[in-house]
Amino acid sequence: MDAPLSPPLFPALAAPTGRPALRCGPDALSYEELARAAGALAARIAGSGRVAVWAAPTARTAVAVVAALLAGVPAVPLNPRSGERELAHILGDSAPELVLAGPAEELPAPLAALPRVDVELEGAEAGAVPPPAGAGPESTALIVYTSGTTGPPKGVLLSRRAVAASLDALAEAWAWTADDVLVHGLPLFHVHGLVLGILGPLRRGGEVRHLGGFSAEGVTRELASGGTMLFGVPTMYHRLADALPGDPALVEALSGARLLVSGSAALPVRDHERIAAATGRTVVERYGMSETLMNTSVRPGGPPRPGTVGTPLPGVEVRLVEEDGSVLGGSDGETVGEVQVRGPNLFSGYLNRPDATEAAFDGGVAGGWFRTGDMAVREAGGTIRLVGRKATDLIKSGGYKIGAGEIENALLDHPGVREAAVTGEPDPDLGERIVAWVVPADPADPPADAELADHVARLLAPHKRPRVVRLLDSLPRNDLGKVLKKRLPRG
Ligand code: MCA
Ligand code: AMP
């Protein structure tokens, strides 16, 4: 018997109207126009294997991803600033058959070797959308790459079921409807900007306005002209909080929004307070992960809970597990356990990494509980407060998750570097900044800080570059030669 076909991810595209769907810079598409553009592209790529999407912050990226989903073809969003090593890894691992990109985009060498399909904003006939041949709820919708502590990033397989379940749970928790107009300037190659920020409003039949890039002016302009919701990472809210005192138009714009949502990292209580004091609005925090999509959220309209990530979303089970494996029962607000998650929002595994998939679940995949690596306490009423991470080798900078090992390997490839260790240290803007501890090959002629930053940006991505470089004569190591990062001198 054939597997059941997936219900449509975008009901509003099945019987499209002239309502606005998407706006980014000069490009604006109604649902009718989106159905035509994405439908025409879906018809071209239907039946192909995975497609890579050059995920520039443009309307064409949204059209490309929607087209892949309509065609039932897995999409691999690529950071257009990926360095050569990162890009080579992702292409080698995910083996896309095609690359979808705007006609004006210049693609780097390894991508130029793939057949390319230009993403156009004008489509031919309405109703050209083919049924997604064989795409059931468990079919892969997206493959999103995420860093681990060591080694290159892993491809997270997100099914159509997971995407639909998570977006619908958020809709219920936030009363998110077709009347909402979402504003954001997030990158479009991760879950936050792409799944929540583009697919979210389109699944609801509402509108998204992407800023092209984040700026306080863009936020002001779009919220003041009909935007109802804002999504951002804490760095963006920090920058808005900094701007508020001198910017009455921004104050008015944020005050008028229905919902301000922060996620991807912790929003410091001080920024919560600065925004609430200036605008009267409480920023709502939600907690998720590439592998789990969204797990918990503070509920709008409830008591403000700065510093917490709220309660589990509908359909999501969350438990806290202590070091000895026992499941925490109470809500004492003190006992710390690892956050483990079960529900329809979970990923289907890491691409080509059955070992890593098995290890990511408590007792293996069969148990169903995904180990997030985040440490938390449970407060009265079941509210989760995140207090840290199990792995100190994962850095969250600007809302991006970055593995220390990946950067160390890149640094060691520089001829001027003999030894390298990478840590994160607190940063008021980025949350954490990447610090490279380097033993130079030639102490008399160490590489310049900017040279090392450029080297990492070129191999991996600009957001993975060290913001600070500290030179040492040697790295502190134990008897077995393992680097003792806790013993690095404080900056
Ligand atoms: C700087 N640049 C360079 C170099 N230095 N380029 C090449 N080589 C260099 N050495 C360029 C950058 O590309 C960029 O260009 C500009 O200079 C500034 O870069 P940077 O300093 O890194 O940016 P920033 O101003 O610090 O960015 C802050 C930010 C950004 C806008 C908040 O960090 C951001 O977009 N964060 C979002 C992260 C996110 O979406 N995370 C979601 C994953 P240009 O100015 O032209 O761009 S987490 C997730 O999905 C889970 C599920 C969740 O819970 O949400
Ligand atoms: P990523 O793997 O890039 O998807 O990042 C997921 C990680 O981001 C989670 O495991 C958390 O550590 C962190 N995160 C996401 N949302 C929040 C939040 N609201 N508060 C604190 N940390 C968060």
Side-chain angles (χ1 to χ4, degrees):
M1 211 179 73
D2 286 346
L5 281 189
S6 167
L9 283 172
F10 308 109
L13 287 177
T17 67
R19 282 185 67 137
L22 169 69
R23 200 163 85 196
C24 182
D27 299 319
L29 282 86
S30 68
Y31 275 90
E32 276 166 355
E33 290 163 330
L34 178 61
R36 269 205 293 277
L41 183 56
R44 288 190 67 185
I45 64 174
S48 83
R50 296 176 193 129
V51 295
V53 175
W54 187 249
T58 65
R60 287 171 205 268
T61 296
V63 170
V65 173
V66 169
L69 294 173
L70 289 177
V73 166
V76 187
L78 300 176
N79 176 359
R81 292 183 184 278
S82 280
E84 53 202 53
R85 177 173 299 178
E86 185 166 288
L87 194 57
H89 165 69
I90 293 175
L91 294 179
D93 191 47
S94 63
E97 262 182 36
L98 299 170
V99 55
L100 311 184
E105 306 283 355
E106 227 176 89
L107 303 184
L111 271 176
L114 281 177
R116 168 177 182 155
V117 178
D118 283 340
V119 182
E120 306 290 354
L121 295 181
E122 296 82 32
E125 294 300 299
V129 183
E138 297 306 316
S139 309
T140 301
L142 295 164
I143 303 173
V144 173
Y145 277 80
T146 189
S147 291
T149 47
T150 55
K154 299 190 285 285
V156 175
L157 298 163
L158 295 171
S159 68
R160 301 168 78 87
R161 173 254 309 153
V163 169
S166 204
L167 292 177
D168 293 351
L170 288 178
E172 196 179 329
W174 296 342
W176 185 1
T177 71
D179 292 332
D180 279 304
V181 177
L182 173 65
V183 174
H184 74 93
L186 291 156
L188 298 185
F189 49 88
H190 274 315
V191 162
H192 195 168
L194 181 63
V195 179
L196 273 60
I198 298 288
L199 306 185
L202 297 180
R203 182 160 172 82
R204 300 274 71 81
E207 183 183 351
V208 51
R209 297 186 193 162
H210 192 274
L211 303 173
F214 173 79
S215 71
E217 301 74 53
V219 168
T220 304
R221 185 185 65 240
E222 297 303 337
L223 284 181
S225 60
T228 65
M229 294 166 76
L230 176 69
F231 286 179
V233 294
T235 301
M236 296 174 179
Y237 283 102
H238 178 81
R239 292 178 187 180
L240 292 177
D242 277 351
L244 280 167
D247 190 344
L250 177 62
V251 172
E252 205 181 316
L254 292 183
S255 310
R258 184 179 84 74
L259 202 56
L260 308 174
V261 185
S262 174
S264 302
L267 181 64
V269 172
R270 189 174 123 72
D271 290 329
H272 268 288
E273 289 173 350
R274 289 197 296 163
I275 293 170
T279 69
R281 305 314 307 259
T282 306
V283 178
V284 163
E285 278 201 79
R286 96 298 180 278
Y287 157 59
M289 209 173 164
S290 304
E291 290 89 334
T292 64
L293 302 180
M294 294 303 115
N295 298 318
T296 70
S297 179
V298 172
R299 299 303 192 272
R305 304 296 292 265
T308 77
V309 292
T311 51
L313 288 164
V316 181
E317 294 175 86
V318 173
R319 69 180 189 185
L320 303 183
V321 179
E322 288 187 85
E323 201 77 57
D324 65 3
S326 55
V327 176
L328 247 160
S331 308
D332 63 6
E334 276 179 20
T335 318
V336 176
E338 182 189 15
V339 181
Q340 298 190 355
V341 182
R342 191 162 72 171
N345 51 316
L346 291 197
F347 74 140
S348 320
Y350 296 111
L351 181 65
N352 302 326
R353 296 291 306 275
D355 52 333
T357 305
E358 190 64 12
F361 287 81
D362 195 13
V365 176
W369 288 98
F370 175 76
R371 305 168 56 198
T372 64
D374 291 311
M375 307 303 288
V377 301
R378 194 188 286 106
E379 300 188 336
T383 299
I384 303 291
R385 179 186 293 277
L386 297 177
V387 296
R389 265 189 312 269
K390 251 186 163 165
T392 49
D393 274 350
L394 278 180
I395 299 162
K396 262 275 166 172
S397 187
Y400 288 111
K401 185 159 89 174
I402 303 162
E406 209 186 336
I407 308 173
E408 286 159 3
N409 289 337
L411 286 168
L412 287 170
D413 277 353
H414 189 283
V417 174
R418 184 148 60 89
E419 292 181 78
V422 166
T423 57
E425 66 183 21
D427 184 278
D429 180 44
L430 295 170
E432 287 182 285
R433 60 176 163 257
I434 297 171
V435 181
W437 304 83
V438 167
V439 178
D442 177 1
D445 184 20
D449 296 5
E451 189 183 326
L452 292 177
D454 290 347
H455 170 78
V456 174
R458 191 173 52 74
L459 283 184
L460 303 179
H463 66 264
K464 295 181 178 176
R465 72 191 191 275
R467 307 284 173 138
V468 180
V469 176
R470 300 212 175 97
L471 299 177
L472 294 173
D473 295 334
S474 63
L475 295 179
R477 292 181 187 271
N478 67 12
D479 294 344
L480 300 170
K482 186 177 171 330
V483 176
L484 298 169
K485 292 193 179 178
K486 289 209 171 95
R487 295 247 305 268
L488 288 163
R490 299 225 154 244

